[in-house]
Amino acid sequence: MKKNLTGDAKPAEWPVNPNTSKAAKRTAAQPDTTNAVPSGTVSRVIRRSKEQAPRHAASAAVAPVPGSALADAETGAATRRKPHRRRPTGRVTIADVAKHANVSPMTVSRALKNPAQVLPEARARVEAAVVALGYVPSHAARTLASARSRVVGVLVPSLTNAVFVETLAGIQDCLGAAGYQFLIGNTSYSSAKQTELLSMYLTHAPDGFLVTGIDESDAIRERLAAARVPVVHMYDLSRDPSEWTVGFSQQNAGYAITQYLLERGYRRPGFIAAQLDPRTMRRRTGFRRALRDAGLDPDLEVLTPEPSSVGLGTRLLVEMLERAPDCDAIFCNNDDLALGALFECQRLGIRVPDQLAIAGFNDLPSSAWSTPSITTVTTPRYQIGFQAAQMLLQILEGKTPKKNRIDLGFTLTPRQSA
Amino acid sequence: MKKNLTGDAKPAEWPVNPNTSKAAKRTAAQPDTTNAVPSGTVSRVIRRSKEQAPRHAASAAVAPVPGSALADAETGAATRRKPHRRRPTGRVTIADVAKHANVSPMTVSRALKNPAQVLPEARARVEAAVVALGYVPSHAARTLASARSRVVGVLVPSLTNAVFVETLAGIQDCLGAAGYQFLIGNTSYSSAKQTELLSMYLTHAPDGFLVTGIDESDAIRERLAAARVPVVHMYDLSRDPSEWTVGFSQQNAGYAITQYLLERGYRRPGFIAAQLDPRTMRRRTGFRRALRDAGLDPDLEVLTPEPSSVGLGTRLLVEMLERAPDCDAIFCNNDDLALGALFECQRLGIRVPDQLAIAGFNDLPSSAWSTPSITTVTTPRYQIGFQAAQMLLQILEGKTPKKNRIDLGFTLTPRQSA
DNA sequence: CTGAAAGCGCTTACAG
DNA sequence: CTGAAAGCGCTTACAG
């Protein structure tokens, strides 16, 4: 049986490496020592099932499906179609396991999914068969039969930004443990790209979505709604009470760091930002509000739609100082911009924070270590991922989360640069 | 027809948001304006197909399938089993499209996959039906029927390291364009985690794998071989001629940067490294070889298995200087360590490169911008991803790549720090 | 060029 | 607790 299965296995259809195919040989030659069938009983059962007609075929013979090969065979019709034999996939199926364990496929299915439903002996035989045959469940078949994919679509605007990588880690830690797979999509801050990714993902029938930054596009909202699947929004707090969201107030965070600068005595703070995604714009709103509340005019801004980077930070600092030589503090929309600004100050001989204060946003891993270290806003991005995933999980399990919106807050982290 | 489909659609099984479910209402109420069927002819066709028995059902009525509801209704048998009616999935299927377009499901399938095989008129009707019904193909069904998943498993040791994120971008750009999806696995430099991820991925029956850093684990090699699917190894050059690899010689790169330091006149270079994965160890070998070739003793090393980071770089620098105050240059195994070392020098008042030279590895985006900028080895990680993906694509399409191993090389990038 | 049949590998929904 | 039937939504392999 074992031999047979191995022999039937799908031949390598992809080109064999021009050089000696050592790996392939290794596999083929390798005896299945760990998987040896232990008892004679089991192998006899297997042999019998190979020699007899399959059980299911019997009932078909009693009431043949019209036009089937079997029906024709019985009437002796010469006009029968050739049976459409597919080339064997070579995959070990639940049926193989069932035969090997001398149970029905259903029992195998249960033993795998809900072991408690199956008698210990049967379960043990199934488990042994799984190991012996190297059975790997087919995700496609499971999805098709159960209408649940155990896949979650995750849409983030960037993977270059460490912030979202940490969010992914949080998602992974929560949903991965629950047996979910992810389709990770990098939307590159582009709404067109996001729409495209969404379409691809929809074919995979994800059980849910975890998304960032879809704020403004109606097309995307509609597509998500059409998927009829729960969606949790990350990174901000929705104004819409019908949406599930986990995040914090970007605007309040922008307000807080600006207020901090003002409290420290800086009177002419500027704001530099790249990307200009909705979250950035809300931090900017916070910056402007704080200045106005202090009776100041929020006129110092250098904004660019380019992607954020350390290099860009060096350039934006220069632009800011050219525009406003009296600028005494800069709120950088992200720590990478802040680091670039700091580097540029070092190059120009500007002392930080004495001559110019620099504040960042996000608290990236390196910000605590620069000289001077960077004053910033610490954001709970791992937690955002983890709790958003947890919220989705609850929804998928039919429990209603207590709140539709979780505010994880942020922390002001004063260091040396401001 | 349209209405009917919408009506049958799967109800939201997940809990409705406690607050007004505005999004849901919006979807339900929203008329399908963009999809309005334009011509009277088409709608007539639709209506007809609702009123008549569908073509395919006709044959079923003539020769009922045993046990089906239809058969029982006609025979009036009292002993019939209840038909096992699943709750409808609400999904628009290829059969729905077929009815709408008045063709067979096969024609829809062909029109979608190989439009040239279908007559223009039929194709047009199919395309219209797809839009009208909002048909989304089922990946699970396709995979099950075709035994090809169009999914590729990608295993990288870290997502925190910008290096691998860029590799992912290269893979994305190549394989994404060809319609493949990815299962992105972060192995966290752990072989156990890698084995676990591999098992999960196998259930998805990926068409191929793109992996990094499996060098030493036989368990993983065997699992990959058992998958009977092509595997391309990234980031190094395999010594095994039966493996597909795209990368560069880590050892030569380590040798080159060390030799550069020696040529610049540094006589007492040290090596600091974290993570200690196989690639790191090969760079170290290069470092040692270069020193020996120059008649020097490679005794200055500070190694730690901890994950690499800027913060760690500050600490390793201190350790190195405590161990060897006469150290005059440091080769840091990664640019993040180099940046940390540079920050620490600034803190300690050590002038770089005058008192101590610092060299990094990988050329991360910020390395060009620090003050001083960091001398490093520029590595082709986007290209590694792109070309590895391309190689895999060729294999999957049945073409044999010309070479089983592509050496993308590396570049020495001298800047200010060494 | 088009279509009817069968089947991919599971689970659901029954019955016992 | 266990199993036979049907079906999930496609494509393959035929036949015409």
Side-chain angles (χ1 to χ4, degrees):
Chain A
M1 182 63 184
K2 182 90 61 46
K3 249 189 177 169
N4 218 322
L5 271 174
T6 317
D8 283 340
K10 167 170 71 175
E13 291 160 47
W14 29 287
V16 170
N17 195 301
N19 311 64
T20 8
S21 183
K22 210 197 281 177
K25 274 187 211 148
R26 201 191 299 147
T27 319
Q30 185 175 275
D32 232 342
T33 45
T34 55
N35 302 342
V37 179
S39 92
T41 318
V42 175
S43 20
R44 221 179 309 125
V45 169
I46 294 165
R47 244 179 277 119
R48 199 180 57 210
S49 72
K50 290 240 33 122
E51 286 151 18
Q52 282 180 191
R55 283 200 267 189
H56 298 156
S59 66
V62 171
V65 175
S68 76
L70 239 165
D72 293 342
E74 290 193 328
T75 56
T79 56
R80 64 169 163 273
R81 326 171 61 99
K82 247 191 234 164
H84 301 181
R85 296 199 67 76
R86 307 198 151 198
R87 85 181 103 148
T89 65
R91 185 159 192 142
V92 176
T93 71
I94 216 172
D96 297 321
V97 175
K99 278 177 214 152
H100 192 285
N102 201 26
V103 295
S104 76
M106 263 321 296
T107 299
V108 176
S109 178
R110 289 195 187 96
L112 260 30
K113 259 191 80 170
N114 216 332
Q117 277 180 28
V118 174
L119 240 36
E121 304 135 42
R123 199 195 313 158
R125 269 179 293 140
V126 168
E127 280 159 9
V130 164
V131 173
L133 304 177
Y135 171 68
V136 175
S138 159
H139 174 263
R142 278 188 169 167
T143 299
L144 193 56
S146 71
R148 289 203 76 199
S149 66
R150 297 234 140 218
V151 162
V152 167
V154 180
L155 259 28
V156 295
S158 165
L159 245 38
T160 322
N161 193 336
V163 162
F164 297 111
V165 172
E166 289 181 44
T167 300
L168 247 31
I171 294 172
Q172 179 77 256
D173 288 352
C174 176
L175 278 178
Y180 281 82
Q181 276 303 324
F182 318 96
L183 255 16
I184 299 172
N186 180 345
T187 65
S188 306
Y189 292 95
S190 144
S191 149
K193 186 110 185 262
Q194 197 170 39
T195 310
E196 189 194 320
L197 279 170
L198 222 44
S199 302
M200 279 208 75
Y201 286 6
L202 254 22
T203 71
H204 288 253
D207 292 339
F209 278 102
L210 252 22
V211 302
T212 316
I214 62 143
D215 309 60
E216 319 312 339
S217 162
D218 269 355
I220 289 162
R221 281 197 130 75
E222 279 167 26
R223 223 166 263 247
L224 282 172
R228 313 194 127 266
V229 117
V231 179
V232 177
H233 300 257
M234 303 183 289
Y235 270 91
D236 213 331
L237 298 171
S238 175
R239 312 120 305 279
D240 184 339
S242 75
E243 288 181 338
W244 307 101
T245 48
V246 177
F248 62 93
S249 166
Q250 302 283 340
Q251 187 179 319
N252 291 356
Y255 190 97
I257 185 80
T258 308
Q259 198 177 35
Y260 169 86
L261 292 174
L262 295 174
E263 279 167 6
R264 300 281 290 180
Y266 300 103
R267 305 319 290 167
R268 198 71 178 109
F271 176 62
I272 70 179
Q275 222 93 251
L276 309 187
D277 60 278
R279 274 147 282 124
T280 293
M281 296 322 266
R282 282 200 271 279
R283 286 178 215 153
R284 172 183 180 239
T285 302
F287 167 78
R288 296 166 67 96
R289 268 212 302 123
L291 285 193
R292 288 225 185 75
D293 285 357
L296 299 173
D297 186 24
D299 60 335
L300 291 192
E301 292 182 342
V302 179
L303 308 178
T304 168
E306 296 165 71
S308 188
S309 72
V310 172
L312 187 58
T314 67
R315 213 184 75 206
L316 296 185
L317 175 103
V318 170
E319 280 184 37
M320 175 64 82
L321 293 185
E322 276 171 4
R323 184 122 102 211
D326 61 331
C327 171
D328 60 359
I330 297 185
F331 165 28
C332 304
N333 183 59
N334 198 24
D335 275 8
D336 54 6
L337 293 178
L339 186 57
L342 174 59
F343 284 152
E344 190 63 25
C345 286
Q346 293 178 333
R347 192 165 298 121
L348 298 173
I350 298 171
R351 276 172 290 113
V352 175
D354 304 344
Q355 291 175 271
L356 182 69
I358 291 178
F361 199 92
N362 274 331
D363 195 10
L364 297 186
S366 68
S367 297
W369 303 101
S370 59
T371 307
S373 57
I374 295 173
T375 292
T376 189
V377 175
T378 304
T379 53
R381 51 243 191 217
Y382 177 89
Q383 275 302 319
I384 288 177
F386 194 94
Q387 298 211 27
Q390 204 166 253
M391 186 182 260
L392 183 61
L393 207 54
Q394 283 178 17
I395 300 171
L396 292 177
E397 286 169 353
K399 304 171 204 153
T400 304
K402 283 175 286 290
K403 301 187 295 179
N404 74 305
R405 146 183 171 145
I406 299 179
D407 183 353
L408 256 20
F410 55 86
T411 326
L412 204 55
T413 303
R415 288 201 273 245
Q416 300 169 334
S417 72
Chain B
M1 181 67 180
K2 184 94 59 48
K3 248 188 178 170
N4 218 321
L5 272 174
T6 316
D8 283 341
K10 165 171 73 176
E13 290 158 46
W14 28 285
V16 170
N17 196 301
N19 313 66
T20 8
S21 183
K22 207 199 280 176
K25 275 186 210 147
R26 201 194 298 149
T27 319
Q30 184 176 274
D32 229 342
T33 45
T34 54
N35 302 341
V37 179
S39 92
T41 317
V42 176
S43 19
R44 222 179 308 127
V45 169
I46 297 166
R47 245 177 278 120
R48 200 179 57 209
S49 72
K50 289 271 343 158
E51 286 151 18
Q52 285 181 188
R55 280 201 271 186
H56 301 147
S59 66
V62 171
V65 176
S68 77
L70 238 165
D72 292 342
E74 290 192 332
T75 58
T79 57
R80 63 169 164 269
R81 318 169 68 95
K82 247 192 233 162
H84 302 180
R85 295 200 65 78
R86 308 198 151 198
R87 86 181 102 150
T89 65
R91 184 157 192 142
V92 176
T93 71
I94 217 172
D96 298 321
V97 175
K99 277 177 214 151
H100 193 285
N102 201 28
V103 294
S104 76
M106 264 320 297
T107 299
V108 176
S109 178
R110 289 195 186 97
L112 260 29
K113 258 190 80 169
N114 215 332
Q117 277 178 29
V118 174
L119 241 38
E121 303 135 41
R123 197 195 314 158
R125 268 178 295 141
V126 168
E127 279 159 8
V130 164
V131 173
L133 303 178
Y135 171 68
V136 175
S138 160
H139 174 264
R142 278 188 169 168
T143 298
L144 194 56
S146 70
R148 291 203 74 197
S149 65
R150 297 233 140 219
V151 162
V152 168
V154 181
L155 258 29
V156 295
S158 164
L159 245 38
T160 322
N161 192 335
V163 162
F164 297 111
V165 173
E166 289 181 42
T167 300
L168 248 31
I171 293 171
Q172 179 78 258
D173 288 352
C174 176
L175 277 177
Y180 281 83
Q181 277 303 325
F182 318 96
L183 254 17
I184 299 172
N186 181 345
T187 65
S188 307
Y189 293 95
S190 143
S191 150
K193 187 110 186 262
Q194 197 171 39
T195 310
E196 190 194 319
L197 279 171
L198 221 42
S199 302
M200 280 208 75
Y201 286 5
L202 254 22
T203 71
H204 287 254
D207 292 338
F209 278 103
L210 252 20
V211 301
T212 316
I214 62 145
D215 310 59
E216 319 313 340
S217 162
D218 268 355
I220 289 162
R221 281 197 130 74
E222 277 167 26
R223 222 167 262 247
L224 282 172
R228 312 196 127 264
V229 117
V231 179
V232 178
H233 299 257
M234 302 183 291
Y235 269 92
D236 212 332
L237 299 171
S238 174
R239 312 119 305 279
D240 184 338
S242 74
E243 289 181 338
W244 308 99
T245 49
V246 177
F248 62 92
S249 166
Q250 302 281 342
Q251 185 179 321
N252 290 355
Y255 190 97
I257 185 79
T258 308
Q259 197 177 36
Y260 168 87
L261 292 174
L262 296 175
E263 278 167 7
R264 300 279 290 179
Y266 301 104
R267 305 318 290 168
R268 198 74 176 107
F271 176 62
I272 70 180
Q275 221 95 254
L276 309 189
D277 59 280
R279 274 147 282 123
T280 294
M281 296 322 266
R282 282 200 271 278
R283 287 177 214 153
R284 172 184 180 240
T285 303
F287 167 77
R288 297 166 67 96
R289 268 213 301 125
L291 285 193
R292 289 226 184 78
D293 286 356
L296 300 172
D297 186 25
D299 61 335
L300 292 190
E301 292 182 342
V302 180
L303 308 178
T304 169
E306 297 166 71
S308 187
S309 74
V310 172
L312 187 57
T314 67
R315 215 185 74 207
L316 296 186
L317 176 103
V318 171
E319 281 183 37
M320 176 64 82
L321 293 185
E322 278 171 1
R323 185 122 101 210
D326 60 331
C327 172
D328 59 359
I330 297 184
F331 166 29
C332 304
N333 182 59
N334 198 24
D335 275 8
D336 54 6
L337 294 178
L339 185 59
L342 175 59
F343 285 151
E344 191 61 25
C345 287
Q346 294 177 335
R347 191 165 298 120
L348 298 172
I350 298 173
R351 276 172 290 113
V352 175
D354 304 343
Q355 292 176 271
L356 182 70
I358 290 177
F361 199 93
N362 274 332
D363 195 9
L364 296 186
S366 67
S367 297
W369 303 100
S370 59
T371 307
S373 56
I374 294 173
T375 293
T376 190
V377 175
T378 305
T379 54
R381 49 246 193 217
Y382 176 88
Q383 275 301 319
I384 288 177
F386 193 93
Q387 297 210 27
Q390 203 166 254
M391 187 182 260
L392 183 60
L393 206 55
Q394 283 178 16
I395 299 170
L396 291 176
E397 288 170 352
K399 303 172 206 154
T400 304
K402 283 176 285 289
K403 301 187 295 179
N404 73 304
R405 147 183 172 147
I406 298 179
D407 183 353
L408 256 22
F410 56 85
T411 326
L412 203 56
T413 304
R415 288 201 273 245
Q416 300 169 335
S417 72

